[in-house]
Amino acid sequence: MLARHGALRGIERDPNTPAPVRRLARIARFGARIPRVPNYATAFQQIGPAAIKLGQALATRPDLVGDEAARDLTRLQDALPPAPFEQIRASVELALEGPLDKFFAEFDPEPVGAASIAQVHRAVTTNGRQVAVKVLRPGIEADFAQALDTYEWAAAQVERMGGEAARLRPRLVIAHFRQWTTRELDLRREAASASELREGMEAESGFYVPEIDWSRSARRVMTLEWIEGIKLTDRQALIDAGHDLKALAETLVRAFLRQAVVDGFFHADLHQGNLFALPDGRLAAIDFGIMGRVDRQARLWLAEILYGLITGNYRRVAEIHFEAQYVPAHHNVEEFATALRAVGEPIRGLPVKDISVGQMLDGLFTITRDFDMPTQPHLLLLQKTMVMEEGVATALDPDINMWETSEPFLREWLRSEFGPETALADELVRNWRTLRKIPELIRRIDHYYPPPGAAPPSPPLPDVVVVQPRRYGSYVFTALLSAALAVAATLLAT
């Protein structure tokens, strides 16, 4: 499908492409009329909804896929063909268990956006509130299940090759992808995620999460506060409206760091189609179907790794990789630190526009191969989101220095986490939990070591041999059965 829409033309022409891959691409497009301009979005759309999610992520990185491909792929974010309104109306009424006019005074039949999993309609509730109504596409569950079955089969075939393919652990990657998409297909889970993120982001005044209308939400329908803003996909409209693009980019970076590092609960689908600039300069997010979680220990490691790369402390970054068991223990920490320095030093302190992302990724991939680092599927969602977030921030402000923007936030958070106040607080919590165990510990001691004058412990029961009465009938039956089996075995042998 990719080949027939011209999406593999770049791979065919790349001199670094292995000859067998180039031949495969030519065979795949054999007999098809290839468009003059590659049609990336249509190719991903026809492959299926799971492929559309990949296309949405690639659209945020023109530095990886090229400006032409990125512009075309942005259509996958919210400009796919919508489902007919009659199907949407029936789905809403079935989910909310009532006619449409019972819940909405107005409901626009034309969607304001249609993506891979759902489409969104503008509406007015019966109490006069402007809302956005998100409705799952009809039959989307079956489409995703079929696609994921295919990916699981393909991953199993690839992993059987062993070597480098096995190190990348494709089956485990697809298993995690199935978990993410399964959650995304239940809009009640998405509503809960939006509510939780809204509470967590109250500390970040520049980032806004809309409020959920729980009375008009169900498994296939979610209603939330209408956002009046400009999508980040429309850079010129943002400029015409007088928005400070540099400030928006910095807000996005800070909001992501607060979600991923401080709270451990982050929006994992931060492409331009899900982000709006509000009239007051704040940044608003929608579409909370894919969310990620990071436990406290992993957040500490993440923050130390990022801060170590910013400050050039490659030794500490290497130590964390060994502590987290991302690198097998038989390798040398100093050698790993040197390898990190070779990748980090050429780009440290540079604005993103001056960084060769291709060379950086090639260097990082070489490190993972040389040091036998297996893929960490539980971190893939975080890594994917970091790549997308950097791409969106760079599109807003090409001169942004991700290191300088992140450093103050990370430094302050690490100081608070590793400072004396936090150490004292953690010690007090541990001591309090230990003190709470003392009463139960004393009761157990009393049980096993009673004080003088208390009733003596019960004597141990003697070992008694249980004598079974003889049953000659059962002996006879067992002997006959054994003889029959022996005769049968002899006949089979001959």
Side-chain angles (χ1 to χ4, degrees), residues 197-492:
L197 187 65
R198 178 182 171 87
E199 292 178 4
M201 292 305 294
E202 289 179 356
E204 193 65 42
S205 58
F207 194 87
Y208 186 73
V209 177
E211 185 178 1
I212 298 296
D213 186 339
W214 288 101
S215 64
R216 294 173 176 83
S217 298
R219 190 180 71 83
R220 297 186 60 84
V221 177
M222 182 181 71
T223 304
L224 67 162
E225 173 188 358
W226 177 260
I227 295 295
E228 197 66 60
I230 302 174
K231 282 189 178 181
L232 297 196
T233 50
D234 196 343
R235 180 184 174 84
Q236 190 57 49
L238 293 171
I239 296 173
D240 295 341
H243 283 288
D244 186 343
L245 302 190
K246 180 178 177 64
L248 287 175
E250 292 177 353
T251 297
L252 176 61
V253 174
R254 282 186 56 86
F256 172 72
L257 289 173
R258 180 170 295 280
Q259 293 172 32
V261 176
V262 179
D263 298 333
F265 183 65
F266 61 93
H267 191 307
D269 204 9
L270 285 174
H271 59 69
Q272 296 99 321
N274 288 337
L275 292 164
F276 292 79
L278 302 181
D280 59 5
R282 290 180 298 169
L283 200 61
I286 60 171
D287 195 356
F288 311 94
I290 302 180
M291 305 294 291
R293 289 192 185 275
V294 187
D295 62 36
R296 185 170 184 268
Q297 182 57 70
R299 298 203 306 273
L300 290 171
W301 282 331
L302 170 65
E304 279 203 88
I305 287 172
L306 293 175
Y307 191 70
L309 292 173
I310 291 170
T311 59
N313 190 354
Y314 299 107
R315 167 71 191 203
R316 180 56 188 151
V317 174
E319 290 173 348
I320 293 169
H321 278 77
F322 279 79
E323 290 174 14
Q325 299 181 4
Y326 299 154
V327 180
H330 64 269
H331 285 287
N332 184 278
V333 176
E334 285 78 10
E335 286 295 324
F336 188 68
T338 302
L340 290 173
R341 181 182 294 273
V343 176
E345 280 301 299
I347 65 175
R348 189 159 65 91
L350 294 177
V352 176
K353 69 175 183 178
D354 295 334
I355 296 174
S356 172
V357 179
Q359 290 184 12
M360 181 189 69
L361 291 178
D362 180 64
L364 291 174
F365 193 79
T366 300
I367 289 175
T368 64
R369 183 187 63 226
D370 292 347
F371 287 86
D372 305 313
M373 296 173 63
T375 299
Q376 304 293 332
H378 65 287
L379 295 178
L380 283 179
L381 195 58
L382 177 63
Q383 293 163 347
K384 165 245 188 188
T385 307
M386 292 174 69
V387 171
M388 290 178 66
E389 176 262 339
E390 184 188 41
V392 175
T394 307
L396 289 170
D397 178 19
D399 295 321
I400 190 172
N401 187 313
M402 299 295 291
W403 311 100
E404 291 179 357
T405 305
S406 305
E407 192 268 342
F409 185 95
L410 293 171
R411 184 182 66 246
E412 179 61 26
W413 188 75
L414 285 172
R415 190 201 67 80
S416 66
E417 287 297 312
F418 290 104
E421 303 94 338
T422 304
L424 178 60
D426 288 345
E427 187 66 23
L428 288 173
V429 170
R430 283 194 295 268
N431 290 341
W432 171 244
R433 289 174 177 170
T434 301
L435 287 172
R436 290 180 60 187
K437 296 177 181 178
I438 290 178
E440 178 62 25
L441 182 61
I442 293 174
R443 283 191 286 270
R444 293 187 180 187
I445 292 173
D446 278 344
H447 176 74
Y448 290 105
Y449 302 97
S458 302
L461 295 175
D463 293 331
V464 178
V465 178
V466 179
V467 179
Q468 295 287 348
R470 295 183 177 181
R471 298 178 179 175
Y472 295 102
S474 63
Y475 296 157
V476 173
F477 176 77
T478 303
L480 291 175
L481 180 60
S482 300
L485 290 173
V487 171
T490 303
L491 294 174
L492 288 173

